[in-house]
Amino acid sequence: MKSTSKANTDLVVPVAPSRGRLRPLGLDEVRITGGFWARRREVNATATLDHCRDWMERVGWTGNFGAPVEQRRGREFADSDVYKLLEAMAWTGTGSDTVTETIASAQEPDGYLNTAFGRPGQQPRYSDLEWGHELYCYGHLIQAGVAQIRTRGEGELAKIAQRAADHVCATFGPGGIDGVCGHPEIETALVELARATGEQRYLDQAALFIDRRGRGTLADGEFGRAYYQDDLPVRQATVLRGHAVRALYLAAGAVDVAVETGDEDLLAAVVRQWETTVARRTYLTGGMGSHHRDESFGDDFVLPPDRAYAETCAAVASVMLSWRLLLATGEPRFADLAERTLFNVVATAPSEDGRSFFYANTLHRRRRGTVPAADAVSPRAESGLRAPWFAVSCCPTNVARTLALLPAYLASVDDHGIQLHQYADAEISVDGIALRVRTDYPSDGTVTVRIARSPDHPWTLSLRVPTWTEGATALLVDADGTRRTVAPGTATVTRVFRPGDEIRLELPVVPRWIGPDPRIDAVRGTVAVQRGPLVYCAESVDLPDGRDVDAVRVDTTAEPVDGPGGTVVAPGELAEPHDEAWPYRPPEQGEVLTVERQGIVLVPYNSWANRGPSTMRVWLPTTGR
């Protein structure tokens, strides 16, 4: 096996740490061949990428790079979405030389590149670090450049990105502007560029940005300095707070810096923040951020389902952070959260045809939304229905790049063997070993790993046993037929493998009730249904006579069961309260209801709103029986 202590500059991956517990496998080493994620990646490649490109041309964002100042269109951060699209195209091997040439023509001789600042008639460069997003845009440009380096070895986009990074180091390095960006992102990008090029100055600049954060270099604004994580130094923070996307991007950058510099204290600080955030500020779906007004985390246990913001970009950032922590520590709990978030937020955001998207991801929709116009830009959506494009369209391009690079999140290696973290039909080939993974996960819990090629010495195959199996029985079947029960965590087989050997993991994918922590006031007294990693919901299109989901009550004295077509049927009833002149009464009087007993059809949360306007809820009141 390859050691993770060497510089990994030749990997086709978004994250290539030079040290750490695990080494990621690249897009040239892992191929998703079928099933849940293959379908979504095919839609992404054949529909979503073109959709995003066409919309950015229509609204003028790609044209900004060659347009006069007075013709610039879009928000101050519109450049970043062009860069995210280019990154997605780089990972899929499609590229866009025409757009790259236009971007190159807009770059200043000193490397500065931004269409919203710095030209006559615009605000001066770096005059609004709180809200201007200049460094944030560089971050996405640099990540697109790294994607080109990793997939092609070189290219004009990579040169543009490196010139911009050199400009950042010259401008914000020691003796330069003593500031940070209001929206973290450049930190991860600079570290990855250092990994890809071997240039120490990029890592040094990323570390400098991390150390400056939380020292009050940004102005105290409407939402306070916590909004952009400038209230506390990263090492002192105990939980993620403020704007959810910013907080998660910053944490990811801090992990990158910690890993490359060997800073165990910094890594421990981020792990501590992750643990507290997962325990107290994360939705059942893995979504993060409960405030609409400032797109931020709420206080501990403030997780209202009907006001959940749970921005799609925050889910992407959460997966980025979890993956980095997994590589650094080898602990499967980080892959558990990534799985939950991928299946229940990232997969929920795009429509089945890949041409409309959720910006926010509510867990309870009280009113049927209206279908957004197919040819108009929507305001920032609050989860009525997916929209084709937004005035702020960070989420579609973020989903596009995530699905493009998804195979890189499936597996890793270390000096002992191969680790499987996410399950999909896939082919894996690395270091003289070839595996064929067969599974219908998450519809079915059987994961079969067939050895196609193996060296003549023992090595270890590790398979993650998800935390959702707790309380049920998961089995590992060895090539010789030996069966053993495995607990949540990691199941391993160490042996001399032969071509044709099969290892089978059997996970108990059945519907089951999930209850909330009683400190989450907004959902106390309700339950949800989870089947494997998938969260389920009730949707009004499955109820009779146009009834709404707020009439649903479930009976937890019996278990939910599998229904047809991937549905789950929960025992329960439709209970319609009678209207009263005054909506309060002594509890001993009870409710006045019209009750109709029936099975309640539930669908995977990631599929809701694909059948037209509907109401929906994840957390379901109980009958009280």
Side-chain angles (χ1 to χ4, degrees):
M1 296 298 134
K2 290 184 179 178
S3 170
T4 56
S5 62
K6 67 181 285 291
N8 293 317
T9 58
D10 57 344
L11 295 174
V12 188
V13 292
V15 182
S18 63
R19 65 183 80 191
R21 174 66 182 80
L22 306 174
R23 175 176 80 74
L25 297 186
L27 302 182
D28 54 339
E29 295 171 313
V30 180
R31 188 168 69 92
I32 296 177
T33 55
F36 184 96
W37 289 118
R39 292 190 296 272
R40 281 154 177 78
R41 294 188 73 244
E42 175 67 16
V43 170
N44 188 59
T46 59
T48 300
L49 295 183
D50 286 344
H51 175 87
C52 291
R53 183 197 62 206
D54 292 346
W55 265 101
M56 279 193 274
E57 291 175 355
R58 184 185 309 183
V59 297
W61 297 357
T62 50
N64 284 338
F65 292 95
V69 168
E70 61 274 11
Q71 294 179 16
R72 187 191 182 277
R73 300 170 67 183
R75 293 288 300 272
E76 62 275 13
F77 41 73
D79 294 0
S80 67
D81 291 307
V82 178
Y83 301 147
K84 279 185 282 185
L85 177 62
L86 291 177
E87 181 188 351
M89 288 180 167
W91 293 127
T92 57
T94 54
S96 183
D97 292 337
T98 301
V99 175
T100 300
E101 290 172 4
T102 304
I103 292 172
S105 68
Q107 189 168 32
E108 301 289 345
D110 67 348
Y112 182 83
L113 177 58
N114 193 281
T115 67
F117 290 86
R119 294 181 290 174
Q122 294 179 325
Q123 295 182 66
R125 298 177 179 184
Y126 310 119
S127 56
D128 187 4
L129 288 175
E130 290 77 13
W131 300 100
H133 290 77
E134 288 160 281
L135 293 172
Y136 168 81
C137 289
Y138 285 141
H140 283 299
L141 169 63
I142 292 167
Q143 287 187 314
V146 169
Q148 188 175 85
I149 292 172
R150 294 254 162 84
T151 55
R152 292 172 50 180
E154 58 182 10
E156 184 60 28
L157 185 61
K159 294 175 183 177
I160 296 169
Q162 192 160 351
R163 287 194 295 267
D166 290 341
H167 165 79
V168 169
C169 293
T171 305
F172 288 86
I177 298 174
D178 184 20
V180 296
C181 186
H183 197 312
E185 212 287 328
I186 193 170
E187 296 83 358
T188 59
L190 285 171
V191 175
E192 213 56 54
L193 186 61
R195 291 165 172 166
T197 64
E199 295 289 348
Q200 179 69 27
R201 64 182 179 280
Y202 303 138
L203 174 60
D204 292 343
Q205 185 62 51
L208 188 58
F209 280 140
I210 294 295
D211 285 341
R212 282 178 185 164
R213 181 73 56 171
R215 305 187 186 282
T217 64
L218 297 171
D220 194 4
E222 177 184 3
F223 304 127
R225 285 197 177 93
Y227 172 80
Y228 26 59
Q229 299 77 47
D230 201 31
D231 57 327
L232 285 172
V234 175
R235 298 169 194 274
Q236 295 179 19
T238 58
V239 68
L240 299 180
R241 70 243 177 265
H243 187 279
V245 181
R246 299 171 197 236
L248 288 157
Y249 278 163
L250 178 64
V255 173
D256 286 335
V257 168
V259 166
E260 293 305 315
T261 61
D263 192 333
E264 294 297 331
D265 290 340
L266 179 57
L267 179 62
V270 179
V271 170
R272 181 174 64 245
Q273 294 165 28
W274 183 92
E275 290 172 338
T276 309
T277 302
V278 170
R280 296 169 177 261
R281 299 185 176 187
T282 302
Y283 284 98
L284 177 64
T285 56
M288 294 187 181
S290 59
H291 287 184
H292 282 245
R293 180 168 173 261
D294 54 355
E295 302 182 300
S296 72
F297 290 98
D299 292 332
D300 290 352
F301 303 108
V302 178
L303 295 165
D306 54 343
R307 293 296 297 164
Y309 198 64
E311 185 182 338
T312 297
C313 283
V316 169
S318 175
V319 172
M320 290 170 57
L321 174 58
S322 292
W323 179 241
R324 286 162 167 79
L325 289 171
L326 173 64
L327 294 178
T329 68
E331 297 176 18
R333 57 180 174 155
F334 299 115
D336 283 334
L337 181 64
E339 175 185 73
R340 180 178 296 274
T341 309
L342 284 166
F343 277 118
N344 298 299
V345 188
V346 175
T348 306
S351 61
E352 289 178 343
D353 69 359
R355 293 184 172 89
S356 59
F357 311 86
F358 280 139
Y359 190 106
N361 294 275
T362 187
L363 276 69
H364 185 178
R365 179 69 185 178
R366 295 182 183 274
R367 292 181 297 172
R368 290 169 170 81
T370 56
V371 179
D375 59 351
V377 173
S378 296
R380 186 175 301 172
E382 295 187 357
S383 297
L385 285 172
R386 297 174 182 87
W389 203 249
F390 305 102
V392 176
S393 260
C394 48
C395 297
T397 49
N398 233 350
V399 168
R401 69 173 181 143
T402 301
L403 291 176
L405 57 80
L406 188 66
Y409 288 147
L410 261 61
S412 64
V413 297
D414 64 7
D415 290 337
H416 306 289
I418 295 178
Q419 304 80 40
L420 301 184
H421 305 293
Q422 306 299 336
Y423 296 122
D425 237 37
E427 294 177 352
I428 299 172
S429 180
V430 59
D431 294 346
I433 298 172
L435 308 179
R436 187 70 178 92
V437 183
R438 291 275 193 248
T439 182
D440 289 327
Y441 193 84
S443 297
D444 180 79
T446 300
V447 180
T448 301
V449 182
R450 183 179 178 84
I451 309 299
R453 186 174 67 250
S454 178
D456 293 327
H457 59 75
W459 58 274
T460 300
L461 174 66
S462 302
L463 300 101
R464 179 177 60 90
V465 182
T467 52
W468 57 256
T469 64
E470 188 172 2
T473 300
L475 294 173
L476 186 70
V477 183
D478 205 339
D480 59 6
T482 303
R483 301 167 66 89
R484 58 186 168 99
T485 301
V486 289
T490 302
T492 62
V493 177
T494 302
R495 58 182 298 167
V496 177
F497 291 95
R498 304 298 183 195
D501 284 351
E502 288 188 350
I503 308 298
R504 189 168 72 251
L505 180 66
E506 297 178 357
L507 301 173
V509 175
V510 294
R512 61 177 182 167
W513 301 115
I514 299 291
D517 187 299
R519 290 170 289 184
I520 308 176
D521 285 334
V523 292
R524 186 181 292 128
T526 64
V527 295
V529 171
Q530 187 171 325
R531 184 181 185 277
L534 298 182
V535 172
Y536 276 67
C537 66
E539 193 174 4
S540 58
V541 293
D542 296 308
L543 300 179
D545 305 323
R547 308 282 281 278
D548 282 336
V549 292
D550 287 346
V552 168
R553 300 189 181 196
V554 293
D555 181 359
T556 58
T557 62
E559 293 298 317
V561 297
D562 285 327
T567 64
V568 164
V569 180
E573 63 191 27
L574 298 178
E576 296 285 1
H578 293 186
D579 287 335
E580 302 284 342
W582 181 243
Y584 307 99
R585 61 175 57 239
E588 63 269 15
Q589 292 185 14
E591 296 179 278
V592 181
L593 302 169
T594 299
V595 176
E596 176 187 343
R597 290 286 295 176
Q598 71 169 68
I600 305 299
V601 175
L602 306 177
V603 298
Y605 173 75
N606 62 42
S607 72
W608 92 274
N610 274 300
R611 296 175 289 173
S614 64
T615 59
M616 177 277 299
R617 66 184 302 162
V618 167
W619 290 105
L620 307 170
T622 67
T623 61
R625 283 190 265 280

